[in-house]
Amino acid sequence: AVNVDRTFFDLLPKGRSFYDLAAIAPGARPEGKAGGVQVDGASGSENTFYVDGMEVTNIQTGVLSGQNRIPVEMVQQTQIKNGAMEARYGGAMGGRISPVARSGTNEYHGQAGFYFNNDNMEGRPRDPLRLDPNDETRGEYFRNEADNFSTWNPVFNIGGPIVKNKLFFFTGYMPVLTTTDRDVTFNVDKRTRSYTRKFRQHYLTNKLDYMPFEKLRLAGSWTWNPNYNRGVLPGRGGTDDPNNNWAGQGNYDAGQIFAYSADYLATSKLVVSFRGGDNFTNH
């Protein structure tokens, strides 16, 4: 297993979620054709994912859904484990990727800022080869124009003591807001129309840590992570139906993760631990 602490990954160039830290581990690498991160050659669907001990692996696809890829600013440590697994990690034939949410300390600390990206910061997409829509006996390169988009990702978090040496809190809110505009010239009437898609992903994490006495430690966390799309974009090639209600389509994914734990240090050689939680999503 490899443990990646925030004192280390804060110094690294990285993606926006704990999922992007998996490539630090030996034997792990991102591979889109395998459905995500490969660990020791296993496909992305053979991994399991846990947040604060609560499994958040997608039960339909076996991979990690985008809404459960919580930002690195909410994470204290990520463990990437491969090889033989304990029984409690059933179903992990590849690797187990497990972040721990940040906790408060005896001092108040906070953070505020934002990430921004738009189409001017990216290169033009490649021109794909396709069949001519008006003559299927010949191929052509289609000029693949880039969409106009902007992505805002504000970052706010704060943590500290409620009762020093006893009760601590951490809370963070980091939404992702993306607006995409696309102009499409349809083949059926050669008219150009404009379409917009708005995507919103919310990440809100709250955590409490309580130590009533030296040998007992309690913790509970709640992550609220719904997302929604408003508007669907037709294909750039212009082969879709212009009469479709593109602006009226979309989807909503509700999501919440609850995790709680108790650790009792019975003796210097015996630790009793309890873990529980609930992972909810609805498409």
Side-chain angles (χ1 to χ4, degrees):
V2 174
N3 293 301
V4 187
D5 190 81
R6 69 174 300 102
T7 56
F8 173 65
F9 66 69
D10 266 354
L11 305 176
L12 298 177
K14 55 190 175 296
R16 291 294 300 116
S17 82
F18 75 90
Y19 183 78
D20 300 301
L21 300 174
I24 295 174
R29 62 186 295 268
E31 178 53 73
K33 293 183 178 180
V37 171
Q38 282 188 314
V39 178
D40 291 344
S43 69
S45 296
E46 294 176 280
N47 303 320
T48 56
F49 304 89
Y50 292 78
V51 174
D52 274 355
M54 180 64 214
E55 185 173 1
V56 295
T57 312
N58 189 302
I59 62 172
Q60 293 176 300
T61 63
V63 300
L64 182 66
S65 301
Q67 70 180 138
N68 289 331
R69 300 185 185 191
I70 62 176
V72 291
E73 288 84 5
M74 294 179 173
V75 174
Q76 178 61 42
Q77 185 185 76
T78 296
Q79 183 184 71
I80 303 98
K81 191 180 182 86
N82 57 3
M85 297 288 175
E86 298 95 326
R88 60 180 171 144
Y89 301 125
M93 296 178 287
R96 178 185 63 83
I97 302 172
S98 177
V100 176
R102 289 180 64 179
S103 298
T105 65
N106 269 331
E107 295 181 353
Y108 290 100
H109 292 280
Q111 181 181 14
F114 68 91
Y115 293 84
F116 174 75
N117 187 27
N118 66 7
D119 53 283
N120 292 323
M121 298 183 186
E122 299 192 351
R124 185 177 61 82
R126 294 181 179 181
D127 295 341
L129 181 64
R130 70 173 186 180
L131 290 176
D132 185 340
N134 301 312
D135 184 1
E136 294 189 354
T137 64
R138 71 183 190 90
E140 66 175 9
Y141 279 98
F142 170 71
R143 185 61 184 266
N144 202 2
E145 299 293 343
D147 295 330
N148 297 321
F149 77 92
S150 62
T151 297
W152 291 87
N153 179 200
V155 174
F156 305 98
N157 64 48
I158 188 171
I162 299 175
V163 179
K164 282 201 171 185
N165 300 317
K166 291 285 186 182
L167 182 61
F168 311 92
F169 81 96
F170 173 83
T171 184
Y173 179 54
M174 298 160 202
V176 180
L177 318 170
T178 300
T179 301
T180 305
D181 298 314
R182 176 179 295 177
D183 294 331
V184 178
T185 301
F186 290 93
N187 296 324
V188 293
D189 56 12
K190 304 304 180 183
R191 289 179 57 191
T192 301
R193 299 170 175 84
S194 298
Y195 299 89
T196 298
R197 179 182 64 201
K198 293 187 176 182
F199 172 75
R200 301 291 183 270
Q201 171 68 67
H202 297 280
Y203 293 108
L204 172 66
T205 289
N206 297 280
K207 188 173 184 180
L208 287 174
D209 294 88
Y210 181 46
M211 189 167 62
F213 51 91
E214 186 177 354
K215 290 191 174 184
L216 179 63
R217 301 181 182 184
L218 309 173
S221 65
W222 168 56
T223 299
W224 179 69
N225 57 347
N227 63 44
Y228 65 85
N229 274 297
R230 289 183 179 174
V232 172
L233 301 176
R236 296 188 184 96
T239 56
D240 291 316
D241 183 1
N243 297 317
N244 192 6
N245 183 20
W246 300 100
Q249 298 183 40
N251 63 277
Y252 176 77
D253 289 288
Q256 296 188 75
I257 304 169
F258 294 92
Y260 40 88
S261 64
D263 297 293
Y264 178 63
L265 307 174
T267 70
S268 60
K269 295 184 178 181
L270 177 63
V271 179
V272 180
S273 294
F274 174 81
R275 299 284 184 275
D278 180 67
N279 177 28
F280 170 79
T281 186
N282 185 34
H283 181 72

